[in-house]
Amino acid sequence: ATLMANISSKELTNRLSNWQFSCCWVACLSILTLVFILLPIVFAKDLATYMLFGWPAPFLIVAFGLPLFFLLLIAFYAWVMDARERDQ
């Protein structure tokens, strides 16, 4: 309780706004991640007829595409959150 006494109402509102934005942003990215994980699984049978570099397309999507997607997602999350913190 003593920590909250030293925070102004403007700063408290700002922190709450940041927290709400962060929660909403994480929820949206989680849904996007779920979609990208489930799409190759749902369409695996249809994509199995395609071969890329000698491998079935679903295997390549899961083995190479998803890790790359996760890295790009983390970088994008960090970039957006950093830009939001800089603006304040």
Side-chain angles (χ1 to χ4, degrees):
T2 57
L3 289 174
M4 297 304 282
N6 296 333
I7 298 174
S8 68
S9 64
K10 182 180 178 183
E11 186 177 345
L12 191 59
T13 304
N14 191 21
R15 286 185 184 185
L16 181 61
S17 173
N18 283 342
W19 179 249
Q20 288 172 341
F21 176 80
S22 178
C23 286
C24 182
W25 186 234
V26 168
C28 291
L29 293 179
S30 296
I31 291 169
L32 183 67
T33 301
L34 184 65
V35 168
F36 271 84
I37 288 173
L38 292 178
L39 277 178
I41 295 170
V42 170
F43 294 110
K45 203 176 254 189
D46 298 330
L47 293 174
T49 59
Y50 299 107
M51 300 294 281
L52 299 171
F53 307 110
W55 294 91
F59 174 79
L60 282 183
I61 291 170
V62 173
F64 298 107
L66 286 178
L68 181 61
F69 168 74
F70 292 141
L71 288 175
L72 292 173
L73 187 78
I74 292 167
F76 187 60
Y77 171 81
W79 179 71
V80 168
M81 294 306 286
D82 185 51
R84 179 153 171 98
E85 285 182 9
R86 266 189 272 124
D87 287 344
Q88 296 177 0

